[in-house]
Amino acid sequence: MSQTHEFQAEVKQVLDIVIHSLYTDREIFLRELVSNAADAMEKMRLTQLTENDIFDASAELQISITTDEAARTLTIADSGIGMTRAELVENLGTIAHSGSKAFAAALKNAGKQNDAQLIGQFGVGFYSAFMVADKVEVHTHSWRNDGEHLVWTSDGSSSYTIDESADQKRGCKIVLHLKEDAADFAKEHTVKQIIEKHSNFVSFPLLLNGERVNTVEALWLKSKEGITDEQYNEFYKFTAHAFDDPSYRLHFQAESPIVINALLFTPTQNMEAFGMGQMEPGVSLYCKKVLIDSKPKKLLPEWMRFVRGVIDSEDLPLNISRESMQDSALVRKIGDVVVKRLLKHLDKEAADDAAKYGKFYADFSRFFKEGVATDHTNRDAIAKLLRFESSMTQPGETVGLADYVKRMTSDQKAIYYQVATSRAAIESGPYLEAFKAKGIEVLYMFEPIDEYVLSSLHKFEEKDLKSVNADDIDLGDSDAEGEALPEAETTTLCDWIKERLTAQVDTVRPGKRLVGSPALVLTPEGEMTPQMRQMMKALGKDGGMPGPKVVFEINPRHNLVKGLSKLHQSDPETAGLISEQILDNALMSAGLLDEPQRIIERTQKLMEKLAK
């Protein structure tokens, strides 16, 4: 018996919103229909546990999708619970369990307000079919043996028809007669791509033109004990579209304060290092195995963009289209839980196998440094993962800040570091001498960004981080051997050098930290460090920047300084050239010499004097 019904007024509003404004990507319709089919089969599975008298009882629980380019149709069939005539009217002709205009109003504003948790309403996702179809047929038979063979038909405008349709199988078969501009959705390869993107982890077999397409299991919901390394690696390559094996993985379930199932991986290869541009977020967000967002930008902090995997939370309240997260505070809370777990996991892995972590860190260190500089919430935890060479490690070996603190001397006041272009540059320079003499470890850093990272960190385990060229470091009296210039002669020499080099130096004084070098320069408080100057220069922002004003320390025990003390009285011109050369040598060691050409010119003058 054929019956024609008018859509409920609210349904007309829903159809207009869904078709014209709610969804930003039309391909979402297939995800909605597949999700509805999976829900119907889950209900059927539970019904089978309690009922014996079931129509078409031998039908296998699966979803079958069929494309027909010639007819421009797409068919989605399930062997789920099906619908009766009354259920077709209730679920597809009205908005069930609502019956109010407020429901449609909430739907209209679903993307704007946080309390429109509507995605769970059966049938709402179904209406997305009309984005791509100008006619939709729903062939169905209820799971009950006395159910009718029915077909529901509509063009999505104002009415629908329910008619008898012989020989229907249990469940629903939705036939979409596609619009001309949606003909691509009748192509097998297009449909396959959408399934793999949005619905690959549906619990039931999903067949496309007779071939199963969802072959990769939702491992994040399984027990770790039953999963092999090969399965994990296959899952990583599938979800990350990767060819390498993962370096680390974290698989965990949490129930408090939020239900979370997560499976995360870190790659072996850093694609940014290959000049591939900045990575996009690589952790997909799911709700009950249905993809919500493949690249959520606010789930994890940006510096974690190298992480790959899946986070699934059944606690997510979603808007009608599943395209955006309603409760951003909840999403942040999920992200916070995951970030803390991942950082703790990496810290443990680093402790368990330092060599393996060292190789991983060498490739991904820039991400952790970016994290320290930008992620204030997790800064201390990220800092534990930083690694550096030091004065107490062999070349290529590294130490973490926590281990550095453990072996600090009893009277040591800070964590000391030096930034330079290489290990050789640090160890051949003057800054390390006093620290080595007193058995104090110095961290070696070779990238200009390291200075900015540590200035952002400022402290670690309540210990200040200090560059060895800071002006305010007091290591006590020097342990250098040899007789020093008398104090009066030293003062006179310092005053003369200050007068001679006043344009470049802020202060000239005898240095306590010098052992085997004649001099060094220090950065006064408030002055830009050498590394910050290099960064500004690299960014092209050093235009008009005045030259550095430095503290110039001389070593009263060094023979060159003693000779200079005598020479500045007998031959002030030559002594001036030598003092300039000593300063430039010190500036070069500090990375502050902007005009190395002047060394060549000065050396030429000194050689001419010696040749007379």
Side-chain angles (χ1 to χ4, degrees), residues 178-242:
L178 299 168
K179 301 174 183 178
E180 286 188 21
D181 65 354
D184 271 358
F185 296 115
K187 296 178 180 177
E188 181 175 343
H189 70 88
T190 300
V191 173
K192 185 176 182 181
Q193 288 177 347
I194 297 171
I195 292 170
E196 289 180 342
K197 178 180 179 182
H198 293 289
S199 306
N200 194 74
F201 302 109
V202 169
S203 301
F204 301 93
L206 204 166
L207 280 62
L208 175 60
N209 296 332
E211 182 179 350
R212 182 167 181 174
V213 288
N214 60 333
T215 56
V216 180
E217 293 184 85
L219 294 188
W220 66 87
L221 295 176
K222 297 184 67 176
S223 170
K224 289 183 284 187
E225 287 70 24
I227 306 174
T228 65
D229 289 341
E230 290 74 17
Q231 287 175 304
Y232 275 125
N233 290 349
E234 179 187 357
F235 182 86
Y236 161 74
K237 290 175 182 178
F238 176 83
T239 55
H241 305 290

Coordinates of all heavy atoms in Angstrom, one line a residue, residues 178-242:
L178 N 22.4 10.1 -8.0 CA 23.2 11.3 -7.8 C 22.9 12.4 -8.8 O 22.5 12.2 -9.9 CB 24.7 10.8 -8.0 CG 25.2 9.8 -7.0 CD1 26.5 9.2 -7.4 CD2 25.3 10.3 -5.6
K179 N 23.1 13.6 -8.2 CA 23.0 14.8 -9.1 C 24.2 14.8 -10.1 O 25.2 14.2 -9.9 CB 23.1 16.1 -8.2 CG 22.1 16.2 -7.1 CD 22.3 17.4 -6.2 CE 21.3 17.5 -5.1 NZ 21.6 18.6 -4.2
E180 N 24.0 15.6 -11.2 CA 25.0 15.6 -12.2 C 26.3 16.1 -11.7 O 27.4 15.5 -12.1 CB 24.5 16.6 -13.3 CG 23.4 16.0 -14.2 CD 23.2 16.9 -15.4 OE1 24.1 17.7 -15.8 OE2 22.1 16.8 -16.0
D181 N 26.3 17.1 -10.8 CA 27.6 17.6 -10.3 C 28.2 16.7 -9.2 O 29.2 17.0 -8.6 CB 27.4 19.0 -9.8 CG 26.5 19.1 -8.6 OD1 25.9 18.1 -8.2 OD2 26.4 20.2 -8.0
A182 N 27.5 15.6 -8.9 CA 28.0 14.6 -7.9 C 28.3 13.3 -8.5 O 28.4 12.3 -7.8 CB 27.0 14.5 -6.7
A183 N 28.5 13.3 -9.8 CA 28.7 12.0 -10.5 C 30.0 11.3 -10.1 O 30.1 10.0 -10.2 CB 28.8 12.3 -12.0
D184 N 31.0 12.0 -9.6 CA 32.2 11.4 -9.1 C 31.9 10.3 -8.0 O 32.7 9.4 -7.8 CB 33.2 12.4 -8.6 CG 34.1 13.0 -9.7 OD1 33.9 12.5 -10.8 OD2 34.9 13.9 -9.4
F185 N 30.9 10.5 -7.2 CA 30.6 9.6 -6.1 C 30.0 8.3 -6.6 O 29.8 7.4 -5.8 CB 29.6 10.3 -5.1 CG 30.2 11.5 -4.5 CD1 29.6 12.7 -4.7 CD2 31.3 11.4 -3.6 CE1 30.2 13.8 -4.1 CE2 31.8 12.5 -3.0 CZ 31.3 13.7 -3.2
A186 N 29.9 8.1 -8.0 CA 29.5 6.8 -8.5 C 30.8 6.1 -9.1 O 30.6 5.0 -9.6 CB 28.5 7.0 -9.7
K187 N 31.9 6.7 -8.8 CA 33.2 6.1 -9.3 C 33.8 5.3 -8.1 O 33.9 5.8 -7.0 CB 34.2 7.1 -9.8 CG 33.7 7.9 -11.0 CD 34.6 9.0 -11.4 CE 34.1 9.7 -12.7 NZ 35.1 10.8 -13.1
E188 N 34.3 4.1 -8.4 CA 34.8 3.2 -7.4 C 36.0 3.8 -6.7 O 36.1 3.8 -5.4 CB 35.2 1.8 -8.0 CG 35.7 0.9 -6.9 CD 36.0 -0.5 -7.5 OE1 35.5 -0.8 -8.6 OE2 36.7 -1.3 -6.9
H189 N 36.9 4.4 -7.4 CA 38.2 4.9 -6.8 C 37.9 6.1 -5.9 O 38.5 6.2 -4.8 CB 39.2 5.2 -7.8 CG 38.9 6.5 -8.6 ND1 39.2 7.7 -8.2 CD2 38.2 6.6 -9.8 CE1 38.8 8.6 -9.2 NE2 38.2 7.9 -10.1
T190 N 36.9 6.9 -6.2 CA 36.5 8.0 -5.4 C 35.9 7.5 -4.1 O 36.3 8.0 -3.0 CB 35.5 8.9 -6.1 OG1 36.0 9.4 -7.3 CG2 35.1 10.1 -5.2
V191 N 35.0 6.6 -4.2 CA 34.3 6.0 -3.0 C 35.4 5.3 -2.1 O 35.3 5.4 -0.8 CB 33.2 5.1 -3.4 CG1 32.6 4.4 -2.2 CG2 32.1 5.8 -4.1
K192 N 36.3 4.6 -2.7 CA 37.3 3.9 -1.9 C 38.2 4.9 -1.1 O 38.5 4.6 0.1 CB 38.2 3.0 -2.8 CG 39.2 2.2 -2.1 CD 40.0 1.3 -3.0 CE 40.9 0.4 -2.2 NZ 41.7 -0.5 -3.1
Q193 N 38.6 6.0 -1.7 CA 39.4 7.0 -1.0 C 38.6 7.5 0.2 O 39.2 7.8 1.2 CB 39.8 8.1 -2.0 CG 40.8 7.7 -3.0 CD 41.1 8.8 -4.0 OE1 40.4 9.8 -4.1 NE2 42.2 8.6 -4.8
I194 N 37.3 7.8 0.0 CA 36.5 8.4 1.1 C 36.4 7.4 2.2 O 36.5 7.7 3.4 CB 35.1 8.8 0.6 CG1 35.2 9.9 -0.5 CG2 34.2 9.3 1.7 CD1 33.9 10.2 -1.2
I195 N 36.2 6.1 1.9 CA 36.0 5.1 2.9 C 37.3 5.0 3.7 O 37.3 4.9 4.9 CB 35.7 3.7 2.3 CG1 34.2 3.8 1.7 CG2 35.8 2.6 3.3 CD1 33.9 2.5 0.9
E196 N 38.5 4.9 3.0 CA 39.7 4.7 3.7 C 40.1 5.9 4.5 O 40.7 5.8 5.6 CB 40.9 4.5 2.6 CG 40.8 3.2 2.0 CD 41.9 2.9 0.9 OE1 42.5 4.0 0.5 OE2 42.1 1.8 0.6
K197 N 39.6 7.1 4.1 CA 39.8 8.3 4.9 C 38.9 8.4 6.1 O 39.4 8.7 7.2 CB 39.6 9.5 4.0 CG 39.8 10.9 4.7 CD 39.5 12.0 3.8 CE 39.7 13.4 4.4 NZ 39.4 14.5 3.5
H198 N 37.7 8.1 6.0 CA 36.7 8.4 7.1 C 36.2 7.1 7.8 O 35.8 7.2 9.0 CB 35.5 9.1 6.5 CG 35.8 10.5 6.0 ND1 36.1 11.5 6.9 CD2 35.9 11.0 4.8 CE1 36.3 12.7 6.2 NE2 36.2 12.4 4.9
S199 N 36.1 6.0 7.1 CA 35.3 4.9 7.7 C 36.1 3.6 7.7 O 35.6 2.5 7.8 CB 34.0 4.7 6.9 OG 33.3 5.9 6.9
N200 N 37.4 3.7 7.6 CA 38.3 2.5 7.5 C 38.2 1.5 8.7 O 38.4 0.4 8.6 CB 39.7 2.8 7.2 CG 40.5 1.7 6.7 OD1 40.4 1.2 5.6 ND2 41.3 1.1 7.6
F201 N 37.9 2.1 9.9 CA 37.9 1.3 11.1 C 36.5 0.9 11.6 O 36.4 0.6 12.8 CB 38.7 2.1 12.2 CG 40.1 2.4 11.7 CD1 40.5 3.7 11.4 CD2 41.0 1.4 11.6 CE1 41.8 4.0 11.0 CE2 42.3 1.7 11.2 CZ 42.7 3.0 10.9
V202 N 35.5 1.0 10.7 CA 34.2 0.5 11.1 C 34.3 -1.0 11.6 O 35.1 -1.8 11.0 CB 33.2 0.6 9.9 CG1 31.9 -0.1 10.2 CG2 33.0 2.1 9.6
S203 N 33.5 -1.3 12.6 CA 33.7 -2.6 13.3 C 33.3 -3.8 12.4 O 33.7 -4.9 12.6 CB 32.8 -2.7 14.5 OG 33.2 -1.7 15.4
F204 N 32.5 -3.6 11.4 CA 32.0 -4.7 10.5 C 32.6 -4.6 9.2 O 33.1 -3.6 8.7 CB 30.4 -4.5 10.4 CG 29.7 -4.6 11.7 CD1 29.4 -3.4 12.4 CD2 29.3 -5.8 12.3 CE1 28.7 -3.4 13.6 CE2 28.7 -5.8 13.5 CZ 28.4 -4.6 14.1
P205 N 32.7 -5.8 8.5 CA 33.3 -5.8 7.1 C 32.6 -4.8 6.2 O 31.3 -4.7 6.2 CB 33.0 -7.2 6.7 CG 32.9 -8.0 7.9 CD 32.3 -7.1 8.9
L206 N 33.4 -4.1 5.5 CA 32.8 -3.1 4.6 C 33.3 -3.4 3.2 O 34.5 -3.4 2.8 CB 33.3 -1.7 5.0 CG 32.5 -0.5 4.6 CD1 33.0 0.8 5.4 CD2 32.6 -0.2 3.1
L207 N 32.4 -3.8 2.3 CA 32.7 -4.3 1.0 C 32.3 -3.2 -0.1 O 31.3 -2.6 0.0 CB 31.9 -5.6 0.6 CG 32.4 -6.9 1.2 CD1 32.4 -6.9 2.7 CD2 31.6 -8.0 0.7
L208 N 33.2 -3.0 -1.0 CA 33.0 -2.1 -2.1 C 33.0 -2.9 -3.4 O 34.1 -3.5 -3.7 CB 34.1 -1.0 -2.1 CG 34.0 0.0 -3.3 CD1 32.7 0.7 -3.4 CD2 35.2 1.0 -3.3
N209 N 31.9 -3.0 -4.0 CA 31.8 -3.8 -5.2 C 32.3 -5.2 -5.0 O 33.0 -5.8 -5.9 CB 32.5 -3.1 -6.4 CG 31.8 -1.8 -6.8 OD1 30.6 -1.6 -6.6 ND2 32.6 -0.9 -7.3
G210 N 32.0 -5.7 -3.8 CA 32.3 -7.1 -3.5 C 33.7 -7.4 -2.9 O 33.9 -8.5 -2.4
E211 N 34.5 -6.3 -2.8 CA 35.8 -6.5 -2.2 C 35.9 -5.7 -0.9 O 35.6 -4.5 -0.8 CB 36.9 -6.0 -3.2 CG 38.3 -6.2 -2.7 CD 39.3 -5.7 -3.7 OE1 39.0 -5.4 -4.9 OE2 40.5 -5.6 -3.3
R212 N 36.4 -6.4 0.1 CA 36.5 -5.7 1.4 C 37.6 -4.7 1.4 O 38.7 -4.9 0.9 CB 36.8 -6.7 2.5 CG 36.9 -6.1 3.9 CD 36.9 -7.1 5.0 NE 36.9 -6.4 6.3 CZ 36.8 -7.0 7.5 NH1 36.6 -8.3 7.6 NH2 36.9 -6.3 8.6
V213 N 37.3 -3.5 1.9 CA 38.2 -2.4 1.9 C 38.7 -2.0 3.3 O 39.8 -1.4 3.4 CB 37.6 -1.1 1.2 CG1 37.5 -1.3 -0.3 CG2 36.3 -0.8 1.8
N214 N 38.0 -2.3 4.3 CA 38.5 -1.9 5.7 C 39.3 -3.1 6.3 O 38.8 -3.8 7.2 CB 37.3 -1.5 6.6 CG 36.3 -2.6 6.8 OD1 36.1 -3.5 5.9 ND2 35.6 -2.5 7.9
T215 N 40.5 -3.3 5.8 CA 41.3 -4.5 6.2 C 42.2 -4.2 7.4 O 42.7 -5.1 8.0 CB 42.2 -5.0 5.0 OG1 43.0 -3.9 4.6 CG2 41.3 -5.4 3.9
V216 N 42.4 -2.9 7.7 CA 43.2 -2.6 8.9 C 42.4 -2.4 10.1 O 41.4 -1.7 10.1 CB 44.0 -1.3 8.6 CG1 44.9 -0.9 9.8 CG2 44.9 -1.4 7.3
E217 N 42.7 -3.1 11.1 CA 41.9 -3.1 12.4 C 42.1 -1.8 13.2 O 43.2 -1.2 13.1 CB 42.2 -4.3 13.2 CG 41.8 -5.6 12.7 CD 42.1 -6.8 13.6 OE1 41.3 -7.0 14.5 OE2 43.2 -7.3 13.6
A218 N 41.2 -1.5 14.0 CA 41.3 -0.4 14.9 C 42.1 -0.8 16.1 O 41.6 -1.1 17.2 CB 39.9 0.1 15.3
L219 N 43.4 -0.9 15.9 CA 44.3 -1.4 17.0 C 44.2 -0.7 18.3 O 44.5 -1.2 19.3 CB 45.8 -1.5 16.5 CG 46.1 -2.4 15.3 CD1 47.6 -2.4 15.1 CD2 45.6 -3.8 15.5
W220 N 43.9 0.6 18.2 CA 43.9 1.4 19.5 C 42.9 0.9 20.5 O 43.0 1.2 21.7 CB 43.7 2.9 19.1 CG 42.4 3.3 18.6 CD1 41.3 3.6 19.3 CD2 42.0 3.4 17.2 NE1 40.2 3.9 18.4 CE2 40.7 3.8 17.2 CE3 42.7 3.2 16.0 CZ2 40.0 4.0 15.9 CZ3 42.0 3.4 14.8 CH2 40.7 3.8 14.8
L221 N 41.9 0.2 20.0 CA 40.8 -0.3 20.9 C 41.1 -1.8 21.4 O 40.4 -2.3 22.2 CB 39.5 -0.3 20.2 CG 39.0 1.1 19.9 CD1 37.6 1.1 19.1 CD2 38.8 2.0 21.2
K222 N 42.2 -2.4 20.9 CA 42.5 -3.7 21.2 C 43.5 -3.8 22.4 O 44.2 -2.8 22.7 CB 43.1 -4.5 20.0 CG 42.1 -4.6 18.9 CD 42.7 -5.5 17.8 CE 42.9 -6.9 18.2 NZ 43.4 -7.8 17.1
S223 N 43.6 -4.9 23.0 CA 44.6 -5.1 24.1 C 46.0 -5.1 23.5 O 46.2 -5.8 22.5 CB 44.3 -6.3 24.9 OG 45.4 -6.6 25.8
K224 N 47.0 -4.5 24.2 CA 48.4 -4.5 23.7 C 48.9 -5.9 23.6 O 49.8 -6.2 22.7 CB 49.2 -3.6 24.6 CG 48.9 -2.1 24.5 CD 49.9 -1.3 25.3 CE 49.5 -1.4 26.8 NZ 50.3 -0.5 27.6
E225 N 48.5 -6.7 24.5 CA 49.1 -8.1 24.6 C 48.9 -8.9 23.3 O 49.6 -9.8 23.0 CB 48.6 -8.8 25.8 CG 49.1 -8.3 27.1 CD 48.6 -7.0 27.5 OE1 47.5 -6.6 27.0 OE2 49.3 -6.3 28.3
G226 N 47.8 -8.6 22.6 CA 47.5 -9.4 21.4 C 47.9 -8.8 20.1 O 47.5 -9.3 19.0
I227 N 48.8 -7.8 20.1 CA 49.2 -7.1 18.9 C 50.7 -7.3 18.7 O 51.5 -7.1 19.6 CB 48.9 -5.6 19.0 CG1 47.4 -5.4 19.3 CG2 49.2 -4.9 17.7 CD1 47.0 -3.9 19.6
T228 N 51.1 -7.7 17.5 CA 52.5 -7.9 17.2 C 53.1 -6.6 16.7 O 52.5 -5.7 16.3 CB 52.7 -9.0 16.1 OG1 52.1 -8.5 14.9 CG2 52.0 -10.3 16.5
D229 N 54.5 -6.6 16.7 CA 55.2 -5.4 16.2 C 54.9 -5.2 14.7 O 54.8 -4.0 14.3 CB 56.7 -5.6 16.4 CG 57.2 -5.5 17.8 OD1 56.4 -5.0 18.6 OD2 58.3 -6.0 18.1
E230 N 54.7 -6.3 14.0 CA 54.4 -6.2 12.6 C 53.0 -5.5 12.4 O 52.9 -4.7 11.5 CB 54.4 -7.6 11.9 CG 55.8 -8.2 11.8 CD 56.3 -8.7 13.1 OE1 55.5 -8.9 14.0 OE2 57.5 -9.0 13.2
Q231 N 52.1 -5.8 13.2 CA 50.8 -5.2 13.1 C 50.8 -3.7 13.4 O 50.2 -2.9 12.8 CB 49.8 -5.9 14.0 CG 49.3 -7.3 13.6 CD 48.4 -8.0 14.6 OE1 48.8 -8.1 15.7 NE2 47.2 -8.4 14.1
Y232 N 51.6 -3.4 14.5 CA 51.8 -2.0 14.8 C 52.4 -1.2 13.7 O 52.0 -0.1 13.3 CB 52.6 -1.9 16.1 CG 51.9 -2.0 17.4 CD1 52.3 -2.9 18.3 CD2 50.8 -1.1 17.7 CE1 51.7 -3.0 19.6 CE2 50.2 -1.2 18.9 CZ 50.6 -2.2 19.9 OH 49.9 -2.3 21.1
N233 N 53.4 -1.8 13.1 CA 54.1 -1.1 12.0 C 53.3 -0.9 10.8 O 53.3 0.1 10.1 CB 55.4 -1.9 11.6 CG 56.5 -1.8 12.7 OD1 56.4 -1.0 13.6 ND2 57.5 -2.6 12.5
E234 N 52.4 -2.0 10.5 CA 51.5 -1.9 9.3 C 50.5 -0.8 9.6 O 50.2 0.0 8.7 CB 50.8 -3.2 9.1 CG 49.8 -3.2 8.0 CD 49.0 -4.5 7.9 OE1 49.2 -5.4 8.7 OE2 48.1 -4.5 7.0
F235 N 50.0 -0.7 10.8 CA 49.0 0.3 11.2 C 49.6 1.7 11.1 O 49.0 2.6 10.5 CB 48.5 0.1 12.6 CG 47.5 1.1 13.1 CD1 46.1 0.8 12.8 CD2 47.8 2.2 13.7 CE1 45.2 1.7 13.2 CE2 46.9 3.1 14.1 CZ 45.5 2.9 13.9
Y236 N 50.8 1.9 11.5 CA 51.5 3.2 11.4 C 51.7 3.6 10.0 O 51.4 4.7 9.6 CB 52.9 3.1 12.1 CG 53.9 4.1 11.7 CD1 53.7 5.5 12.2 CD2 54.9 3.9 10.8 CE1 54.6 6.5 11.8 CE2 55.8 4.9 10.4 CZ 55.6 6.2 10.9 OH 56.5 7.1 10.5
K237 N 52.1 2.7 9.2 CA 52.3 3.1 7.8 C 51.0 3.4 7.1 O 51.0 4.3 6.2 CB 53.0 1.9 7.0 CG 54.5 1.7 7.5 CD 55.1 0.5 6.8 CE 56.5 0.3 7.3 NZ 57.2 -0.9 6.7
F238 N 49.9 2.7 7.5 CA 48.6 3.0 6.9 C 48.1 4.4 7.3 O 47.7 5.2 6.5 CB 47.6 1.9 7.2 CG 46.2 2.2 6.7 CD1 45.9 1.9 5.4 CD2 45.3 2.8 7.6 CE1 44.6 2.1 5.0 CE2 44.0 3.1 7.1 CZ 43.7 2.7 5.8
T239 N 48.1 4.6 8.6 CA 47.5 5.9 9.1 C 48.4 7.1 8.8 O 47.9 8.2 8.6 CB 47.3 5.8 10.6 OG1 48.5 5.5 11.3 CG2 46.3 4.7 10.9
A240 N 49.7 6.9 8.8 CA 50.7 8.0 8.6 C 51.0 8.2 7.1 O 51.8 9.1 6.8 CB 51.9 7.8 9.4
H241 N 50.6 7.3 6.3 CA 51.0 7.3 4.9 C 52.5 7.3 4.8 O 53.1 8.1 4.0 CB 50.4 8.4 4.1 CG 48.9 8.5 4.2 ND1 48.0 7.6 3.6 CD2 48.1 9.4 4.9 CE1 46.8 7.9 3.9 NE2 46.8 9.0 4.7
A242 N 53.1 6.4 5.6 CA 54.6 6.5 5.7 C 55.2 5.2 5.1 O 54.6 4.2 4.9 CB 55.0 6.6 7.2

